[in-house]
Each structure stands twice: as C-alpha cells, then as structure tokens.
Amino acid sequence: MSLSRTLHLLPRSTIVARRSLSTTAPAFVKAGDPVPDIDLVEGSPGNKVNLAKELQGNGLIVGVPAAFSPACSASHIPGYLNSASLKGAGKVFVVSVNDAFVMKAWGATLDPMNKSGIRFLGDPDAKFTEALDLSFESTSIFGNNRSKRYALKVENGKVKEAFVEPDNTGVDVSTADKVLH
C-alpha cells in the first residue's frame, strides 16, 4: 500500500508532522536587542544577578552548553581567561543552563584565584537562554535543553554584536580571539 493511501486511512485526529522549507533567518538575539531582564544565580540559588542591570556600560556575556564539558573547559572559556584583551571587555559573565553550585565549582576550577574577574552564572531554568532564543534541544547529550555556544558584546544594556555558533556547540565564531579583536 502506498504512503498516500495509508495516510488517507488514518483517522482525522491523527496528527501528521510535515516538514516545511523556510528561508526565514534564525530569530535568535541580534545587535540592538536589549539584554533580557531576567535573574540568573551566582554562587547559591538566593544570590540573584540581573545582567540587564549589571551591563549598563560595556560588557560581555559568554554562553556555553554545559559547565565542565570538554570544549567549554579545555578551550572556549580558557581562551577568555588567558586573553590579553579581556581587561578591555568590561564586565564579563559566563552563563550556562546549570545551577548556581555547579557554576561556582566550575569557575573555581577554571580560575581558582579569580584573577580574570569573570563571573560564572547559572541559568537553572533556561529562562535567560530562552529569552535570547538561544536554547537548543540536547536531551540526548545533556539531559535537557541547553544553550547554544555564543558570545554577546554588550553596550549600555543592549547587544552590540552577537557571535552565535551555527552548529550550536562548535568552538569557532565565539572564541576569545574572534570576539575580543
């Protein structure tokens, strides 16, 4: 029996998914967008940090799929920690869809003396990440939806420049060398 004949026999209540081709550009965060006015957590669940309020001058938000993951720990964030250009970036925050305790431990592992000044923030319910439209389905790898890898240059509470990895997790367009030029 052909597929079209089989589909015709299905009850009307059966939902059939269709793939559509779209030429619409991705809707994720872009230059000119405001930093979301959403609380993140730092160090403990009760210590709220709001990047819309924190980033009224120059700053940088670096988003990663997961704390302690190989690419995040071995190359992406160390690239920022070791960059001579970091000091000119303003306030710098690393954000991941993780809890405050995980982010605190990860920050202490990568920068034990906090010499860089980079702050590690958790987005435990992914509300900040979703507001930026930067979440992706990653349950098979991380157990839940996570953040795409990205870096956002921020000026006066608005995104000045967005560097979002096209494949969600690669380490290319959002590296310190490309963002802090």
Side-chain angles (χ1 to χ4, degrees):
M1 185 178 289
S2 73
L3 178 60
S4 61
R5 175 80 175 126
T6 304
L7 292 175
H8 177 71
L9 296 174
L10 291 173
R12 282 186 124 9
S13 62
T14 302
I15 298 172
V16 179
R18 276 196 271 175
R19 238 182 227 195
S20 64
L21 297 176
S22 174
T23 57
T24 306
F28 51 81
V29 65
K30 62 190 176 313
D33 288 348
V35 173
D37 187 9
I38 294 173
D39 288 340
L40 298 168
V41 291
E42 181 177 31
S44 72
N47 189 19
K48 308 292 186 197
V49 177
N50 186 305
L51 294 183
K53 294 176 178 80
E54 288 277 342
L55 291 170
Q56 288 306 307
N58 291 339
L60 185 66
I61 304 169
V62 181
V64 297
F68 290 105
S69 66
C72 300
S73 296
S75 62
H76 193 221
I77 300 307
Y80 285 92
L81 292 168
N82 299 319
S83 174
S85 301
L86 183 66
K87 296 296 180 202
K91 293 181 178 181
V92 180
F93 300 88
V94 173
V95 176
S96 183
V97 179
N98 285 108
D99 63 67
F101 303 117
V102 167
M103 293 304 288
K104 179 180 180 179
W106 190 42
T109 300
L110 292 176
D111 190 10
M113 303 304 290
N114 196 24
K115 290 181 181 176
S116 70
I118 293 176
R119 294 169 62 188
F120 290 76
L121 308 179
D123 183 15
D125 53 14
K127 286 183 182 174
F128 184 83
T129 299
E130 290 168 358
L132 292 170
D133 198 20
L134 291 174
S135 67
F136 75 101
E137 201 295 315
S138 60
T139 53
S140 64
I141 300 168
F142 298 117
N144 59 344
N145 286 358
R146 293 297 179 111
S147 173
K148 297 178 183 208
R149 187 180 310 280
Y150 67 88
L152 303 176
K153 282 187 176 180
V154 177
E155 190 173 279
N156 299 320
K158 294 193 184 267
V159 175
K160 181 177 179 184
E161 212 171 341
F163 303 83
V164 181
E165 294 295 344
D167 68 352
N168 300 332
T169 61
V171 183
D172 181 28
V173 301
S174 65
T175 62
D177 289 343
K178 292 186 178 165
V179 174
L180 300 174
H181 49 13

